[in-house]
Amino acid sequence: MTLKLRFIEFTLPDWSDKAFNGIREAEKKLTDIAGSAGKGSTRFQDTCSRLGRAANQGESALLANINEPIEIRALTYILSVPAEKHTAIMLTEKIIKRMGEIKSPMSRDPVNNSVYLPGY
């Protein structure tokens, strides 16, 4: 079966630099937040390096290295930066579940003051 559609023509306006200001501001905020996450401490840097090496070995090795809240902070930090020294990390259900076991509550719903994990 063949379905013929009429030709649709439309014109999109050019994007101005001003249109991207909100994105740039949000990126700067995220960078500032990540920059103040205690990432300057030797322990935090060592934890990031260790988790990066574990990520290179696969999900099982990464899971075995998530045992303390600092490791969750380090993992969320390395997820927010380009994967230059480690394999890109994919957040799986097992990793999220492990993070919830270590640090519960993961977050709070400020409206209802209840604990939630998105997607669960």
Side-chain angles (χ1 to χ4, degrees), residues 3-27:
L3 179 64
K4 292 184 179 183
L5 299 174
R6 290 185 181 195
F7 179 72
I8 300 173
E9 185 176 324
F10 55 93
T11 305
L12 296 175
D14 290 331
W15 288 87
S16 68
D17 283 342
K18 193 186 266 188
F20 296 98
N21 286 345
I23 294 171
R24 287 187 196 106
E25 288 170 12
E27 286 175 341

Side-chain angles (χ1 to χ4, degrees), residues 31-106:
T31 302
D32 291 346
I33 290 169
S36 65
K39 70 175 189 173
S41 75
T42 303
R43 183 173 179 220
F44 186 79
Q45 291 173 355
D46 291 347
T47 303
C48 287
S49 296
R50 183 170 43 81
L51 290 177
R53 287 190 303 273
N56 290 336
Q57 297 171 11
E59 182 186 52
S60 297
L62 184 59
L63 285 167
N65 279 277
I66 302 174
N67 299 302
E68 298 179 38
I70 190 171
E71 291 157 343
I72 294 171
R73 283 193 312 115
L75 179 60
T76 56
Y77 170 74
I78 61 177
L79 285 168
S80 72
V81 297
E84 296 171 351
K85 298 180 181 179
H86 58 81
T87 303
I89 298 170
M90 184 82 135
L91 271 183
T92 63
E93 188 173 333
K94 287 180 183 179
I95 292 173
I96 293 171
K97 189 173 185 178
R98 181 67 181 145
M99 291 168 69
E101 292 168 358
I102 303 300
K103 177 122 175 58
S104 185
M106 290 292 289

